[in-house]
Amino acid sequence: GGAVRPRSPRRPRAAMADGPAPKRRREEEEAAPGSGAPFPLSSVRLRRILRDSAREKAAFVTGPSGEPTDAVLILERTPFQEEEIEELLRTHTKLQLQMRNDIYSTYRLYPPPELSEIKATVVYPATEKHLQKYLRQEVHLIRETWEDYKNITLPFIQSQSFSIQWVYNILEKKAEADRIIHENPDPHNGFVLVPDFKWNQNQLEDLYLIALVHRRDVKSLRDLTAEHLPLLRNILQEGKEAVTKRFGVPGSQLRIYLHYQPSYYHLHVHFTALGYDAPGSSAERAHLLEDVVDNLLLDAGYYQKRALTFALRADEPLLKKFQEVGRV
Ligand code: M7G
């Protein structure tokens, strides 16, 4: 399809765009992981809106599906920092009245460039699965028993899941090495704590970090047994300490949890600010690490016994597999 024109330049949107134009191919190759060259944003063309989210204030763009130049671009406004507000009031370039009624009035306020930062996340080259991930769709709840996991989910994730090369790059210090907040180098019970790429580290309101375990044999919550308790306790204790030390946020203001299902099948733990309504912190996806530890103490095989609930998008192939056997 042709390019979709933004419906309103001020509203957040989600879109698809063409990948970089072919004449920029050399530049793209130079923009390979680790090269440091910026993504050639000006040669991207808007193709389709994937998601238009007021909450995340995000835009998504990509090239023609199936082509090697596919890209997903996420644009989002970041929260105000307190000290920026005075600066904004002093230096705004224009204030345009929209409406006035009694004691109420609304304006359009135009900030100077240094106060109008937009966080841009690029996935390039993006796979079809990335497009699906960012496409807003109807969702359905699945109640997955252990049998379902073994017979349906596990074979599926083994054939389909996202590459976790980016995780190995962090663990091997080939990427984001300068961003590491804390590391426990033990190959069995150690982990690396880094800022999640959803967080720009400008303000603590949307603090988001991720702990990636060194061992590579744990795919998700489903694999956890009492054997993993020392690892999980290290993440909980050292992770909290490191965040408090670096960012001054106490453990009592952190939401520390795992996703089930995750997008990436290498065990990792999310650390988000308690006051931040982080995407994926909903009841059908987030499992508090402290609860996970308690459950494993009660029963070493807890996560190989109980059913787990999660949501799947309408056109995800895994949903089809559950539908085929009458589980949805
Ligand atoms: P998840 O629960 O597997 O999937 O979490 P989700 O993305 O659907 O939540 C993976 C987490 O890793 C997410 O919070 C991502 O934002 C984060 N993440 C993904 N990638 C590809 C990167 C990356 O390259 N660097 C960093 N620092 N974080 C990432």
Side-chain angles (χ1 to χ4, degrees), residues 133 166 170 176 179 194-198 208 210 259 261-264 268 270 279 285:
K133 177 176 161 75
W166 69 272
I170 292 174
E176 304 185 46
R179 289 159 50 94
V194 286
D196 194 282
F197 79 168
K198 288 205 272 277
Y208 202 140
I210 190 128
H259 275 161
Q261 300 282 335
S263 292
Y264 305 94
H268 56 273
H270 302 252
R285 194 159 188 222

Side-chain angles (χ1 to χ4, degrees), residues 11 13 15-16 73 79 84 97 102 115 124 166 194 209 291 293 319:
R11 288 189 51 216
R13 43 203 60 272
M16 286 170 76
L73 170 66
E84 275 179 5
L97 179 71
D102 190 39
L115 292 175
Y124 176 78
W166 69 272
V194 286
L209 297 106
D291 289 343
V293 167
L319 182 69

Side-chain angles (χ1 to χ4, degrees), residues 127-165:
T127 67
E128 188 58 37
K129 248 194 132 223
H130 288 105
L131 299 196
Q132 293 308 326
K133 177 176 161 75
Y134 292 111
L135 195 63
R136 170 88 69 224
Q137 280 184 51
E138 245 178 41
V139 287
H140 296 274
L141 277 188
I142 301 282
R143 187 85 182 142
E144 178 204 67
T145 64
W146 172 247
E147 296 303 310
D148 291 335
Y149 174 72
K150 273 192 312 185
N151 298 331
I152 305 170
T153 312
L154 181 60
F156 181 78
I157 61 184
Q158 281 167 340
S159 69
Q160 294 273 322
S161 38
F162 281 132
S163 160
I164 47 176
Q165 189 55 48

